[in-house]
Amino acid sequence: MAKNGPGGQGKRKGRAEAGDRPDPDNATVLQKRQLVALIAQRVGRRNAEVREIVEATLAELGEAISAGQTLALPPLGRARISKQKDVSGSEVIVLRLRRRKSGPDADAGHDHDEND
């Protein structure tokens, strides 16, 4: 059985600072059980209370992406499909995610066009 808590089976590395460019080949993976635990902690609920909602949310997001919809989900950002193809009975979908910068220099030099 999965451990309750944000780390699940191990420590979760800190989030990247604004401006950092993480190496996608060495990215840490956020598992669903870890996401459930983080959300439960943030909203002050038990994992069991949050799990069903998270699973339904992920299912809806998956269906929207498969249907080719652009996602406009602040504070996550705006995600749109840049490539999509079927490979060996699976969908391979490449998303482009645009997020607002956070931190003290967030608005410096930022164009406010959401349609890029």
Side-chain angles (χ1 to χ4, degrees), residues 59-80:
E60 290 297 326
L61 289 172
E63 289 175 18
I65 291 167
S66 288
Q69 291 182 307
T70 293
L71 306 177
L73 304 170
L76 175 64
R78 184 178 198 87
R80 63 184 165 98

Side-chain angles (χ1 to χ4, degrees), residues 16-82:
E17 294 295 320
D20 286 353
R21 298 285 178 167
D23 178 8
D25 294 329
N26 295 318
T28 58
V29 175
L30 177 63
Q31 299 289 334
K32 183 169 61 173
R33 68 180 175 274
Q34 294 168 315
L35 179 63
V36 167
L38 289 167
I39 293 170
Q41 182 179 9
R42 181 173 285 211
V43 299
R45 303 287 184 169
R46 294 180 311 121
N47 288 11
E49 295 176 295
V50 172
R51 185 172 292 112
E52 183 178 2
I53 295 167
V54 169
E55 288 177 353
T57 301
L58 293 173
E60 290 297 326
L61 289 172
E63 289 175 18
I65 291 167
S66 288
Q69 291 182 307
T70 293
L71 306 177
L73 304 170
L76 175 64
R78 184 178 198 87
R80 63 184 165 98
I81 296 173
S82 61

